[in-house]
Amino acid sequence: MNPSNIAFIGGGNMAGALIGGLLKSGRAPASILVVEPFAAQRERLQREFGLAPLAEAGPALASAGIVVWAVKPQLFRDAAAPCAAHVGGALQLSVMAGVRSDAIARASGSERVVRAMPNTPALIGRGVAGLYARDAVTPAERGAVEALLAPTGRTVWVEREADLDAVTALSGSGPAYVFYVLEAMMKAGVEMGLPEAQARALALATFDGATALAEASPLPPAELRAQVTSKGGTTYAAITSMEADGVGPAVVRAIARARERARELGDEFGG
């Protein structure tokens, strides 16, 4: 086993984000192995990163110190079967939703398993990933995982694997909630007569600036909101309308439903 080699099982978008970050940080393409059965994906990885992906698993995987599982959850069992004979000596890192660490340990033959729940802003280095490590994972291996994921954004460790369901609901699915609100804000701008490009620019800049302010300020979001909500003013009118429509409780219920679905997926694919 060569700790400097990293193998990816699956070469889709999330694998591509990780591979791109690794290469930008100075890793040699020859130290990255990818198993990807789809020819179009293999061609993309070769074209964009200069890699030579494998169409199927083989003995070359035994050279990897870290194996990154990046296939769709429903494909994990089929993907793992031909890999099992070659990956048992490696640290296993999963970026799959729903597949629990027990299933990964059984399929890989290694108790050294870390699960990561990233989100799509990882594609531009602005993501956040929730991480859970089984007891067999050493502090040094945790550090190796953090280093691997660093180019994609931030990391947050959780102590209980079940908490990854909440991470999935909050930040894993979270970008979609932001996009949903952005859609509505842009639509409102257009309906009020603004050109679509201006509505888009204003909505995007508002989200970006408000998030940056919330991060920089010691005040909680509720107080920041109160600072711009003068009674009888325009913001007050909007917030009062949202409260009357139950927007806040609806968001909380939606995220709770996402967590419930994450649990269901775990039962289905990785119990």
Side-chain angles (χ1 to χ4, degrees):
M1 181 182 73
N2 183 349
S4 66
N5 285 351
I6 298 176
F8 288 81
I9 313 302
N13 287 338
M14 193 54 65
L18 292 171
I19 291 167
L22 289 168
L23 294 175
K24 286 177 183 176
S25 67
R27 176 171 286 276
S31 70
I32 299 174
L33 310 173
V34 183
V35 176
E36 173 52 64
F38 295 103
Q41 290 281 47
R42 292 199 303 275
E43 291 169 6
R44 179 183 65 84
L45 292 166
Q46 184 175 26
R47 183 176 63 253
E48 292 184 8
F49 303 122
L51 303 180
L54 306 172
E56 57 187 24
L61 290 176
S63 70
I66 300 176
V67 172
V68 183
W69 295 94
V71 298
K72 294 180 179 179
Q74 60 268 33
L75 300 179
F76 170 64
R77 288 171 183 161
D78 289 341
C83 297
H86 312 294
V87 300
L91 173 66
Q92 313 293 315
L93 171 61
S94 168
V95 295
M96 302 177 293
V99 182
R100 294 176 184 151
S101 66
D102 282 345
I104 298 166
R106 287 195 302 269
S108 67
S110 173
E111 283 292 319
R112 296 154 55 223
V113 178
V114 175
R115 282 186 61 196
M117 185 62 241
N119 61 8
T120 54
L123 298 171
I124 59 167
R126 296 286 300 276
V128 60
L131 303 175
Y132 167 78
R134 288 172 73 90
D135 291 342
V137 177
T138 68
E141 289 170 334
R142 285 183 177 232
V145 168
E146 290 174 353
L148 194 159
L149 293 172
T152 67
R154 306 181 188 185
T155 55
V156 176
W157 290 94
V158 298
E159 295 302 316
R160 301 182 307 165
E161 185 168 7
D163 287 341
L164 284 182
D165 293 336
V167 172
T168 300
L170 186 60
S171 61
S173 299
Y177 315 151
V178 174
F179 301 147
Y180 188 81
V181 175
L182 280 171
E183 285 181 74
M185 291 176 67
M186 292 176 192
K187 180 179 179 182
V190 170
E191 289 183 353
M192 291 186 294
L194 291 173
E196 185 174 346
Q198 286 186 348
R200 173 185 169 86
L202 288 165
L204 289 171
T206 298
F207 252 92
D208 183 57
T211 300
L213 177 59
E215 187 166 26
S217 175
L219 299 176
E223 290 191 35
L224 292 173
R225 173 170 56 83
Q227 288 181 353
V228 293
T229 310
S230 302
K231 192 166 186 178
T234 59
T235 309
Y236 180 82
I239 295 297
T240 299
S241 176
M242 290 182 191
E243 289 179 341
D245 289 337
V247 172
V251 171
V252 174
R253 288 194 301 272
I255 295 174
R257 178 65 188 97
R259 182 182 67 170
E260 181 182 344
R261 182 58 182 151
R263 288 174 176 168
E264 292 169 355
L265 289 172
D267 292 339
E268 183 176 353
F269 296 124

